C-alpha cells in the first residue's frame, strides 16, 4: 500500500515536498487555507542550497524562464538621486553565478506545475482538528472531510495552524524582530520610466520602500519599517500610506496605487524557533519551524532545500519517525546558522540612525574593491559551504547509528562509535573558526 501524506500549506515548502514525495511513490494531499494561489509577494534572490535542490529536482529551466535579470540595487534619496548601490553581477559572482531573482508567486507557480495531476490539491480548506494515531494521523478539514494519513506536514507558514494544534501556541516559538513588512503590485508608466531595470530602494532611516519593474508592465513595491508593536493593523493600506507618505521621490505615487488590504501582503518580520520539529507522525517544514526572516534573505531557498532533505530521508525507507529525526538533525544546524546571519544583519538591512545609514553607504562602496566584496558577501549569506551531499552523508551516518541502537536494544552486540555532535554541526563549527 502506498504511503499517504497530508501537507497543510500550498506554499514553497509544501509544494516542494509534494514533488519529492510523489517522486518516491507517496500519495499526497495538500490543503491550503487561501482560496487560490497567492498573487501577493515580493522579489527574492534565490541561491544557495535551495538553488542546488531546484537543480536536482529539474526545476531550474522553468525558474530561469520566470526569473528576472536586474542591473543593480540602487539606494536613492528623496529626489531619486543614487546615494549608494550594489552591483548585481558582482553579487552573483560571490555565489559562482548560481543565482536568480524571482517573484515569490512565480516560484510557487513553477513548483505547482511540477505536481499538477500527481497530487490532490484543495484550496479554501484547512485543518479543523487533528488526532495523532500510533501509525499516522486522522484530520478533519474545515469542510467536514475526514482524512487519514501516514504523515502530517505543517508547511503553513510563520503562523502555522499545525504547529499550534500539535506543538503549542505561537507565542512560544515566534521571535518578533521589531519590523513590519508589506508588498504589492501596481501600474504606473511614469514610475516605470523612473526605475528602468534596477531595484530602487529609498536610502532612509527606520523605514524604506523598494520598487522594481515586472515584465508584464506592472511594478512591484516592497516596504519595511521599524515598529515595536507586533500587532498587524486592521487597515493595512491606511497604515502603509501613513507610514511611508513622506519618503519623497515616486513613493507617494506608488502609495496612491496601493490596492485594498485583501490584495496587499502585510506581515511581521519574525523568526521561528522550535526545539523539536516532529512529534509522532507530525512534522514541521519551512517557515512553520525555520523562518529566518527577510533579513537573512534565504527563506525561499531554505524552504526548497529543507523539503528536499525531508523528502530524501522519507524516501530512504525505515520507520517514518526515524526519517523525521534524521531530517531535523541534518537540517536544523543549517537553519540556526542562517537565523544568526539574519539577526546580525538587521542593523545593516534597515538603519535606525543617520550614523548607521552612513555606515551602510560606506560599506556598499567598499564592495567595489577587490576582496571586500567577498567579505561583505559572507556577512550577507554566511560563511558555510555545506552541500546537499554533505547533509545527506550526515543523515546516512545518523541512520547507521539508529540501526546500531536498534540492534543493541535487541541484544545484538555491535561496535558503536560515539558521536555527540552531528556531522553537519561539526562542519558548521569548523567554518566559523
Amino acid at each position: 500500500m502506498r504511503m499517504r501524506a497530508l501537507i497543510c500549506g500550498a506554499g514553497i515548502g509544501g509544494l516542494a515536498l509534494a514533488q519529492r514525495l510523489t517522486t518516491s511513490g507517496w500519495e499526497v494531499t495538500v490543503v491550503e487555507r487561501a482560496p487560490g494561489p497567492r498573487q501577493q509577494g515580493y522579489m527574492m534572490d534565490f541561491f544557495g542550497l535551495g538553488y542546488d535542490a531546484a537543480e536536482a529536482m529539474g526545476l531550474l529551466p522553468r525558474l530561469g524562464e520566470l526569473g528576472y535579470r536586474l542591473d543593480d540595487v540602487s539606494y536613492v534619496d528623496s529626489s531619486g538621486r543614487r546615494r549608494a548601490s550594489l552591483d548585481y553581477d558582482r553579487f552573483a559572482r560571490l555565489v559562482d553565478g548560481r543565482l536568480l531573482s524571482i517573484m515569490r508567486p512565480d516560484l510557487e507557480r513553477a513548483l505547482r506545475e511540477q505536481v499538477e495531476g500527481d497530487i490532490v490539491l484543495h484550496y479554501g480548506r484547512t485543518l479543523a482538528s487533528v488526532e495523532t494515531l500510533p501509525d499516522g494521523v486522522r484530520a478533519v478539514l474545515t469542510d467536514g472531510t475526514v482524512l487519514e494519513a501516514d504523515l502530517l506536514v505543517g508547511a503553513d507558514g510563520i503562523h502555522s495552524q499545525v504547529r499550534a494544534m500539535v506543538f503549542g501556541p505561537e507565542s512560544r516559538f515566534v521571535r518578533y524582530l521589531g519590523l513590519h513588512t508589506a508588498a504589492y503590485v501596481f501600474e504606473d508608466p511614469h514610475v516605470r520610466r523612473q526605475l528602468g531595470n534596477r531595484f530602487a530602494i529609498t536610502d532612509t532611516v527606520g523605514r524604506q520602500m523598494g520598487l522594481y519593474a515586472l515584465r508584464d508592465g506592472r511594478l512591484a513595491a516592497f516596504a519595511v519599517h521599524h515598529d515595536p508593536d507586533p500587532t498587524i493593523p486592521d487597515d493595512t493600506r491606511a497604515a502603509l500610506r501613513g507610514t511611508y507618505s513622506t519618503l519623497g521621490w515616486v513613493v507617494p505615487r506608488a502609495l496612491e496605487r496601493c490596492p485594498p488590504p485583501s490584495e496587499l501582503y502585510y506581515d511581521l518580520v519574525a523568526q521561528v524557533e522550535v526545539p523539536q520539529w516532529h512529534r509522532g507522525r507530525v512534522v514541521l517544514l519551512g517557515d512553520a519551524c525555520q523562518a529566518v526572516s527577510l533579513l537573512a534573505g534565504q527563506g525561499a531557498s531554505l524552504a526548497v532545500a529543507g523539503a528536499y532533505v525531508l523528502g530524501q530521508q522519507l524516501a530512504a525507507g525505515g520507520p517514518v519517525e526515524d526519517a523525521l529525526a534524521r531530517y531535523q538533525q541534518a537540517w536544523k544546524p543549517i537553519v540556526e546558522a542562517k537565523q544568526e546571519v539574519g539577526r546580525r544583519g538587521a542593523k545593516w538591512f534597515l538603519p535606525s540612525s543617520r550614523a548607521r545609514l552612513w555606515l551602510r553607504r560606506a560599506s556598499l562602496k567598499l564592495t567595489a574593491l577587490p576582496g571586500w566584496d567577498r567579505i561583505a558577501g559572507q556577512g550577507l549569506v554566511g560563511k558555510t559551504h555545506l552541500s546537499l551531499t554533505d547533509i545527506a552523508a550526515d543523515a546516512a551516518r545518523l541512520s547507521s547509528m539508529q540501526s546500531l541502537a536498534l540492534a543493541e536494544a535487541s541484544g545484538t552486540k555491535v561496535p558503536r562509535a560515539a558521536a555527540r555532535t552531528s556531522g553537519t554541526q561539526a562542519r558548521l563549527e569548523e567554518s566559523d573558526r
Side-chain angles (χ1 to χ4, degrees):
M1 180 179 294
R2 296 172 66 190
M3 296 289 282
R4 296 166 298 170
L6 173 59
I7 300 175
C8 188
I12 293 171
L15 291 171
L17 180 63
Q19 194 266 7
R20 300 316 300 155
L21 292 181
T22 56
T23 300
S24 302
W26 283 60
E27 181 181 316
V28 179
T29 298
V30 180
V31 294
E32 167 59 49
R33 177 191 299 273
R38 185 169 66 175
Q39 302 302 316
Q40 304 93 342
Y42 44 84
M43 184 84 76
M44 308 172 297
D45 288 324
F46 189 73
F47 60 96
L49 290 170
Y51 190 103
D52 299 339
E55 183 176 47
M57 295 164 62
L59 195 61
L60 278 189
R62 183 58 172 145
L63 296 186
E65 294 173 358
L66 296 171
Y68 288 82
R69 179 72 179 178
L70 301 174
D71 292 336
D72 66 13
V73 177
S74 298
Y75 291 85
V76 301
D77 63 17
S78 58
S79 299
R81 293 174 299 189
R82 180 181 302 188
R83 304 304 299 269
S85 65
L86 179 64
D87 183 84
Y88 200 78
D89 287 338
R90 185 178 294 272
F91 180 60
R93 287 196 293 272
L94 295 177
V95 290
D96 299 321
R98 296 175 65 79
L99 162 75
L100 56 86
S101 295
I102 189 168
M103 292 289 288
R104 184 183 185 92
D106 286 338
L107 177 54
E108 292 183 1
R109 173 185 170 186
L111 288 164
R112 196 166 51 249
E113 289 172 351
Q114 279 206 325
V115 296
E116 283 179 345
D118 295 329
I119 68 170
V120 177
L121 175 55
H122 297 298
Y123 284 103
R125 306 183 201 178
T126 189
L127 299 186
S129 66
V130 60
E131 177 186 358
T132 57
L133 307 174
D135 57 352
V137 298
R138 180 181 294 112
V140 179
L141 305 186
T142 48
D143 65 352
T145 301
V146 178
L147 296 175
E148 291 192 2
D150 300 289
L151 176 68
L152 170 62
V153 182
D156 47 346
I158 288 180
H159 310 293
S160 171
Q161 187 174 14
V162 172
R163 189 186 61 224
M165 286 181 169
V166 179
F167 297 82
E170 180 173 306
S171 58
R172 289 174 49 190
F173 309 116
V174 176
R175 176 192 286 201
Y176 176 54
L177 298 183
L179 300 109
H180 289 214
T181 186
Y184 62 93
V185 174
F186 67 102
E187 295 185 26
D188 188 307
H190 171 75
V191 175
R192 188 177 180 88
R193 287 193 297 271
Q194 292 288 311
L195 287 176
N197 192 39
R198 59 176 176 159
F199 189 162
I201 304 175
T202 60
D203 190 43
T204 42
V205 174
R207 56 192 174 142
Q208 65 184 23
M209 178 171 279
L211 298 162
Y212 44 95
L214 304 178
R215 64 172 56 88
D216 59 3
R218 298 181 301 165
L219 300 129
F222 160 77
V224 61
H225 67 273
H226 288 294
D227 193 327
D229 184 2
T231 303
I232 295 178
D234 294 332
D235 188 338
T236 52
R237 178 168 63 178
L240 200 65
R241 287 173 170 170
T243 301
Y244 297 90
S245 60
T246 60
L247 287 185
W249 190 41
V250 296
V251 172
R253 291 183 67 106
L255 291 173
E256 286 177 9
R257 289 153 181 79
C258 180
S262 61
E263 300 174 23
L264 170 66
Y265 169 81
Y266 193 108
D267 207 346
L268 308 177
V269 177
Q271 293 184 338
V272 173
E273 299 167 314
V274 183
Q276 186 75 10
W277 289 1
H278 57 95
R279 180 169 296 174
R281 292 291 187 91
V282 182
V283 66
L284 300 176
L285 175 68
D287 282 354
C289 64
Q290 66 174 46
V292 295
S293 85
L294 60 86
L295 304 182
Q298 300 182 62
S301 174
L302 292 173
V304 174
Y308 186 89
V309 172
L310 176 55
Q312 193 174 47
Q313 297 316 307
L314 290 167
V320 170
E321 293 82 356
D322 288 354
L324 303 184
R326 295 194 301 270
Y327 153 67
Q328 174 171 326
Q329 182 161 336
W331 188 239
K332 197 168 189 284
I334 303 281
V335 170
E336 290 173 340
K338 299 303 183 185
Q339 288 179 326
E340 177 59 28
V341 169
R343 291 191 291 272
R344 288 201 311 263
K347 295 177 181 178
W348 188 93
F349 185 85
L350 182 59
S352 58
S353 66
R354 298 294 301 179
R356 292 193 180 280
L357 183 66
W358 180 88
L359 183 61
R360 183 176 71 179
R361 290 175 187 166
S363 299
L364 288 169
K365 289 179 180 178
L366 284 174
T367 62
L369 300 177
W372 281 97
D373 57 349
R374 191 157 296 277
I375 294 173
Q378 288 180 347
L380 288 171
V381 306
K383 297 186 290 184
T384 59
H385 300 286
L386 293 178
S387 68
L388 290 174
T389 301
D390 294 329
I391 297 168
D394 186 40
R397 176 172 170 269
L398 177 57
S399 179
S400 297
M401 292 173 62
Q402 290 170 337
S403 298
L404 290 172
L406 183 61
E408 288 180 350
S410 67
T412 305
K413 291 185 178 181
V414 292
R416 185 178 183 186
R420 294 184 178 85
T421 303
S422 75
T424 300
Q425 184 65 55
R427 284 186 287 269
L428 285 170
E429 291 172 356
E430 179 64 27
S431 70
D432 287 336
R433 286 198 285 268

